[in-house]
Amino acid sequence: MSASIDAGGQFKTPEQSNAYSSFAYSLLAFFVLAIFLATGLSAKKDLDNELAINIKRAEDNALIYEDQIVQTFQLIENVARTLQFTTDRQLDQLTPDDLRLILQRAQFSLPAIRSMSLVDDGQNVFASSSRGNLGLKIDLTLFQPINSDGRNTTLFRISQPWRGRDLSSGTPSSLDEPVSVNDAYFIPVLLRLNSSNNKSDGFWILVAVNPDYLLSRLSRYNNEKTDSFDLITTDGRVLLSDHESLPGERFGEFHLLSSILKAKKSTNLEKNLLAFRVSDRYPIFIITRIERQEIIRLWLEKKLPFFCWIIAATGAGVLIFWILLSRINNAEKNHLKQQRVVYRLSQALAQSPSGILITNLKGIVEYCNLCYCQMVEKSASDIIGTVTFMFDSNLIPASATIDIIDGLKAGQIWKGEFAHANSSESATREVQVIWSPLRDEGNEITHFICVEHDISQLKKMQHELSISRDRAETATRAKSEFLANISHEIRTPMSGVIGMTHLALEEDMGEKAKEYVTHARTSAVTLLGILNDILDFSKMEAGKLQLEAFRFDFKAWLDGIVKPHAMAAKDKGLQFECNVSTEVPNWITSDSLRLSQILNNLIGNAIKFTTLGKVDLSVRFIQKLENSKSIEKEYFLEFNVSDTGCGMTSSEIDSLFKPFTQANYSTSRVYGGTGLGLVICKRLCLAFNGDITVSSQPQVGSSFVAKVSVLPADPPELEFSIVPSLSSVTSRATRDLNGLKVLLVEDYPFNRQMMVVLLGKFGLNVDVAVNGQDALDRLHSPDSHYDVVLMDIQMPIMDGITATQHIRRETIFDNLPII
């Protein structure tokens, strides 16, 4: 019978030979019935005579088996008892390694011994010929006879069979779970070696007896292989058997045990012919067994040899035929199952969206699926039998793939990418390749399998995404640079507006006109603050924001920030408190301008969004953040600004640090602002290697915590006030600057006019240049002498940076200050 797959992919199920099977089983049943009928013709007299002969033979075998088993146990006992004479020291004084060598020599002296172990009175194995037995705890009550009164401690004791080959892998059998015929087992025997001075002082010797040795030794005396025997303990457990009895189970004729132990021999003719021999030296007895049916079979062999020969030959033929038929049916079933599995796997490979190749060890293709054929634009007949690309030296140099092929032959998996030309050679395709070895039933590598995924579209999408990302980044940089430039250009005239309104307010005018100019100046200052935020944000977006580091008096700096906000809070009817930890150093090194920007924004927002209650500012000094991974010493200032204002919801907090976003769209209507302040604070804190966090509840208040890195600094040798009063600045400026000649370089006319007026108020003589080149010309004028240069940066023709570089190259201007 056979099974196959047709061209359409359908299975052909093999036909079953039911007729032949039925005939074979009927023939087998007929001959079995004939055997039973022939047995009934036996005569009673001949059968009794045959039984008597077999009983005598069973008794003789029992005597022989008893003698052989007793001799074996006696040899084991002698070997165990002579252990203490193999060395000049007491055994309990030797190390475990020395004892192991002695026990191994004793074990190797007798094939019946699998291992020998020494057990102390605590039932622990402290030495053994097998290292795995060390430290095991042995239940000595499993051995018969059980010593309950402490006497006769030198008795030879036997336990029920144990599963396993040794103590370390063995477990005692039970009546419910005897040792299976397929399981390895051993017979533990135990005897006591007492000290010569004290019977209670000594140890136990536990020997694992090899049952296979006993079986092989007894089998030599059963030449005809017609008898069976059992080795039984005095409590009725089977120790050894050469038939269906399982080691560890109770002897089948247990009711005979008491009579056997009394008479020491017995026979029974009800079901089996049994002969018993009870050992005088050891707690065991031997049973030899001949089944009644076996005697009848032997009798038939004697009386009807020809008939029995025919029956036996016929029965053997039937048995062979039945076995062959069963094997053929099983083979066909297994073959059909395998074909179904192969068919399903082949369908999975054929329908796979990935290209699949199977090659031999030389790289010759033996299988390819439809997807691979479509990928290379070839038919299967053109691919199968050819060398795959990785093994083809004409396509890929051997030096590039020899390591890959060697790795596959060593059982490794290789992953990589290749670019293939299609058969039309009009385009290339990029594939991700996975090569793996295939093994047979013996775990030998016989083939290689290649799985290819076409990633051409993926690569194309990645390339397009990369181009789009570059364009987006270029656009972002251009936008940021434009925003920075336009913000600067707008801020320049705004500065002129602020300066002009400042000058106008110092002139005599009517109250109404003065009110209008004051409002105009306030609006201009507000607009300038917005422009400054936009400029700072654009610098951050363009990556041009740089932090400075210089030493300053922290408490004086903080006082200059807190006082204006305290006055604003007081004007609004709010309480304002500032608490500075004593750990904060007096002098620190950092960028005070950017720190002021962060703190002013946080405090200003707290006052702006609070109508009732108070605003608190607390400052702490932290040596290292908890989640910091740096091994260097880190120092941080923590500013905590809390208020009792309107508060925010969790969704409003999520959008709080997004550019041009406020917690609520109505906020700009009520409070004003661009939504950039907190974004700038956030990015400044990150630039300081810190962070800013917020917690808030609606109608309860908010709390902002900003952490920024700083460095503690030593105070200067000569202290001075970092925030002098306005009166002192004015008086000192008037005293020190009067009569100095200044070159003002400014391209914006209104700013020039404003600066000339303001500088004139300090008694300065001012000359004006409209750009950097004009400033160079005036400096090189023969009759010119300037004490200081006030230089703008962005100007036409030549900017301030370039002009300053030209000035600094000439030694005659080394002492000329440029601001």
Side-chain angles (χ1 to χ4, degrees), residues 550-561:
F550 55 88
R551 180 177 55 183
F552 63 93
D553 186 340
F554 176 77
K555 293 184 177 179
W557 168 84
L558 183 63
D559 185 65
I561 292 176

Side-chain angles (χ1 to χ4, degrees), residues 80-100 102-103 105 118 126-127 192-199 201-203 205:
R81 293 189 183 281
T82 56
L83 282 177
Q84 55 189 346
F85 304 112
T86 58
T87 178
D88 54 355
R89 289 187 294 170
Q90 292 292 332
L91 293 181
D92 54 2
Q93 296 178 357
L94 298 177
T95 64
D97 290 337
D98 293 335
L99 289 173
R100 179 172 56 83
I102 293 174
L103 293 174
R105 285 195 296 269
L118 301 183
F126 65 90
R192 175 80 174 185
L193 286 185
N194 291 325
S195 173
S196 59
N197 297 327
N198 187 358
K199 289 186 178 181
D201 185 15
F203 50 87
I205 299 179

